[in-house]
Amino acid sequence: MSGDQYGVRDQDGWSHGFVAPPMPSAPPPAPADVWRAVGVGLLNLSGLGLGYALVRRPLLTVVCWVATGILLFTVLPADPDGVSGTTLTVYGLFLVLVGLHGALLGLRRRLVWPGQSPLAIVLGVVLLGVPVVGGLLYESARKEAVQEMLLDRLQKADDLVEKASGESFSTTQSEYRRALTAYDDLSTDHPDSRAAEQVPDRLKTFYATVGASYEEQKYCDAVAPLEYLRTVPQTVSKQDLGSLATWPDDRLATSLYECASDSLTANTAGWQDQFSDLLTTFPESDPAAKVEPDVKAAVDKAVKAVGGDDPCTAVDQLETLGSQVKALPGEKAGVADALAADAGRAEDSASSGVYTCGVDQYNDGDFAESVTSMNDFVKANKNHKNAPRAKKIAIAAEIAQEVPAAGKKLPTTRSGGSISVTVKNDSPDEIQVMYTGPVTGTFTLKGCGTCTSYDWSSTLVTGFKPCSGNDNYPQRTISLPVGTTYFLHKPKGGSASSAASDTAKLESGYIYTECAYVTSGYGLDS
């Protein structure tokens, strides 16, 4: 082994040299010290790598800094879901490894500082508070992130309500439902959050927004949203809703009444269902008490209209009113009886009003409709004072369909006259003879058993006279007043022959004969 040589001279002048020992390349290992190992391990557990730094391992110290930096980069800013279990597990294993490795290194290596092992242990214990404090701070940040996330959900629900405001409820109902679900989730799942504390005020705004049509007195528009609000307690607990649980009730009752009342007055559809809902859902409410008086007023108005310019429309309205009112529920004492009386009066007035309608149709020249109306009236009101005249009007209207001049005047119930008129049936068909003029009536003549139809061409021959043979024709003689009488011969029993008409101008001093016969030819009977 080589080293530096040194020399000294003795008294004789001789020089004597010797070689100095070499310097060690590293400090000699220190005696094993368990407490020092514990201190280094504890210092490494802080995640800052201070144990490595105190035993002169700068590269390992940097590794600790990098690992801790990666952790901070991964978890910051704090996420509402917190740190994943995998990340915590990996970093925890890393700290355990560097703690154990640092302890092994510190067992025989002296510390740069502090000189005493107990002091290193105390410092390590103190620095263990770094990850603990960091964890607490992170948890606080995570909780704040959760609060911000919940507030963001609250804001999104508010935005849905604001967006739906002013729009048609039918098109925005889904937005309202989503907002309500969000409010309920905040209140139920996160009751202690700042967002949940604001839910009661948001629900008030929600109700006011959905029910805005009521405040604007758009009662028909308000019915559907208010009915929806009554279902909210199925989603949100009544405890959370408080007084809002019954908030829609009075408003809905009023809206149902106002909308139905306006529809009833205007004679438009929908009022029956709304009154039914009102009487069923809120039978004891003030609006429900107004239903029967409104119905009675509507019936009174329609009854009065029968005598107006459009009686047929009034009759139709009364018929509809009768059936609609009859279907209304009446759970409250007295209401059912009153509504039943209104329905009965409407039906009775409609039935009797058919006569007035038929007269109006006759005067307007709607003879076919008049026939139907008068026949319906007589069928339903056989003992009515107007039944006899209704029969006369039906006869005259049927004749007027063939001879419009017969419908110029409304027939009366007058009968008889001074002129004899005999009507004979020279046809094999049973016929109904109708006549109108100064008097109106009808009768039936049996078919002539020995009679046949005349060839159409024979009726064109000069001197053609039906009912002139020796046959015993079925006949009937009636007395009629002077004036023009219109006759209609109508085959009965499903005969293919068509009706025939005749106009007779009756004068005193004459005896008249009417003859009914059938002609055939070219495939036609008349």
Side-chain angles (χ1 to χ4, degrees):
M1 180 179 292
S2 63
D4 295 333
Q5 293 185 352
Y6 298 89
V8 294
R9 289 183 180 273
D10 58 11
Q11 294 178 350
D12 298 328
W14 291 99
S15 297
H16 300 276
F18 63 90
V19 179
M23 296 294 294
S25 59
D33 187 342
V34 175
W35 291 111
R36 184 173 60 237
V38 171
V40 173
L42 288 175
L43 287 170
N44 273 0
L45 288 178
S46 68
L48 301 177
L50 293 180
Y52 286 138
L54 295 183
V55 293
R56 300 181 184 88
R57 289 298 181 94
L59 182 60
L60 293 177
T61 302
V62 172
V63 170
C64 290
W65 291 350
V66 170
T68 301
I70 291 174
L71 174 68
L72 294 177
F73 179 80
T74 302
V75 303
L76 294 178
D79 187 85
D81 295 329
V83 184
S84 69
T86 301
T87 300
L88 288 177
T89 300
V90 170
Y91 187 71
L93 290 174
F94 172 76
L95 291 181
V96 171
L97 290 175
V98 297
L100 292 174
H101 185 249
L104 289 175
L105 291 178
L107 183 64
R108 293 186 175 277
R109 284 180 175 271
R110 290 187 175 85
L111 303 178
V112 174
W113 179 92
Q116 301 296 323
S117 296
L119 185 57
I121 294 175
V122 172
L123 182 60
V125 172
V126 171
L127 290 179
L128 280 178
V130 171
V132 174
V133 172
L136 294 175
L137 291 175
Y138 179 83
E139 180 61 18
S140 177
R142 187 194 67 80
K143 290 181 178 179
E144 180 60 26
V146 170
Q147 295 290 339
E148 293 296 331
M149 177 191 69
L150 298 178
L151 288 172
D152 183 62
R153 291 182 186 176
L154 180 68
Q155 184 59 51
K156 289 180 179 179
D158 295 344
D159 292 342
L160 287 173
V161 175
E162 183 178 358
K163 178 182 178 182
S165 177
E167 300 293 332
S168 172
F169 179 74
S170 60
T171 61
T172 58
Q173 188 171 355
S174 59
E175 281 79 5
Y176 284 130
R177 291 187 184 279
R178 288 167 55 197
L180 184 64
T181 300
Y183 291 144
D184 181 58
D185 289 344
L186 289 172
S187 180
T188 303
D189 299 338
H190 309 280
D192 298 326
S193 66
R194 297 201 299 270
E197 292 176 358
Q198 301 180 48
V199 167
D201 288 337
R202 294 304 197 277
L203 288 175
K204 293 178 181 178
T205 302
F206 178 85
Y207 270 68
T209 302
V210 176
S213 295
Y214 173 83
E215 301 299 333
E216 297 170 359
Q217 297 185 350
K218 298 177 180 178
Y219 297 113
C220 291
D221 293 341
V223 171
L226 288 172
E227 287 179 336
Y228 163 71
L229 287 177
R230 294 191 77 238
T231 68
V232 169
Q234 300 174 9
T235 302
V236 181
S237 69
K238 291 185 176 181
Q239 182 178 356
D240 291 337
L241 290 174
S243 61
L244 290 176
T246 57
W247 185 90
D249 293 353
D250 291 341
R251 292 168 173 80
L252 178 57
T254 300
S255 296
L256 286 170
Y257 168 75
E258 293 292 346
C259 183
S261 181
D262 289 345
S263 297
L264 178 60
T265 302
N267 193 28
T268 56
W271 65 267
Q272 179 193 5
D273 292 338
Q274 291 163 344
F275 272 164
S276 295
D277 290 344
L278 175 59
L279 292 172
T280 302
T281 309
F282 308 104
E284 302 296 330
S285 66
D286 291 339
K290 301 177 183 179
V291 171
E292 194 280 328
D294 277 13
V295 169
K296 183 177 182 299
V299 173
D300 290 342
K301 181 180 178 181
V303 169
K304 185 178 180 180
V306 172
D309 296 333
D310 193 1
C312 293
T313 299
V315 168
D316 290 341
Q317 185 180 358
L318 280 170
E319 291 175 344
T320 303
L321 270 175
S323 60
Q324 290 175 325
V325 175
K326 186 182 292 185
L328 289 177
E331 297 182 4
K332 190 174 181 180
V335 173
D337 293 339
L339 289 173
D342 293 332
R345 189 161 59 89
E347 291 176 339
D348 292 343
S349 298
S351 180
S352 60
V354 172
Y355 173 80
T356 306
C357 172
V359 170
D360 187 68
Q361 290 168 334
Y362 187 95
N363 289 332
D364 290 341
D366 298 329
F367 299 117
E369 289 81 359
S370 181
V371 170
T372 301
S373 296
M374 289 306 178
N375 288 337
D376 290 345
F377 172 77
V378 172
K379 183 178 180 180
N381 303 275
K382 295 180 180 180
N383 298 321
H384 196 281
K385 64 179 182 178
N386 289 327
R389 192 179 186 193
K391 294 178 182 178
K392 303 280 188 180
I393 295 173
I395 294 170
E398 189 155 355
I399 297 172
Q401 292 181 68
E402 298 291 334
V403 187
K408 289 183 178 181
K409 293 182 179 180
L410 198 66
T412 66
T413 56
R414 179 183 173 185
S415 62
S418 59
I419 300 176
S420 178
V421 178
T422 300
V423 183
K424 297 181 180 181
N425 185 10
D426 185 5
S427 77
D429 299 327
E430 182 181 23
I431 62 170
Q432 181 181 9
V433 179
M434 301 180 188
Y435 58 91
T436 187
V439 297
T440 301
T442 184
F443 58 88
T444 300
L445 289 177
K446 293 181 179 180
C448 175
T450 60
C451 300
T452 60
S453 62
Y454 291 93
D455 185 82
W456 178 77
S457 61
S458 67
T459 63
L460 302 178
V461 178
T462 302
F464 170 74
K465 292 183 179 180
C467 296
S468 60
N470 296 322
D471 294 306
N472 186 19
Y473 300 112
Q475 57 185 287
R476 180 171 177 175
T477 300
I478 57 176
S479 297
L480 297 176
V482 172
T484 302
T485 297
Y486 303 93
F487 288 90
L488 181 67
H489 303 159
K490 187 177 180 181
K492 298 183 66 177
S495 172
S497 301
S498 58
S501 62
D502 184 32
T503 301
K505 295 183 179 180
L506 306 180
E507 299 178 5
S508 299
Y510 294 91
I511 295 175
Y512 294 89
T513 300
E514 277 282 318
C515 182
Y517 62 93
V518 178
T519 62
S520 61
Y522 302 104
L524 300 173
D525 290 338
S526 61

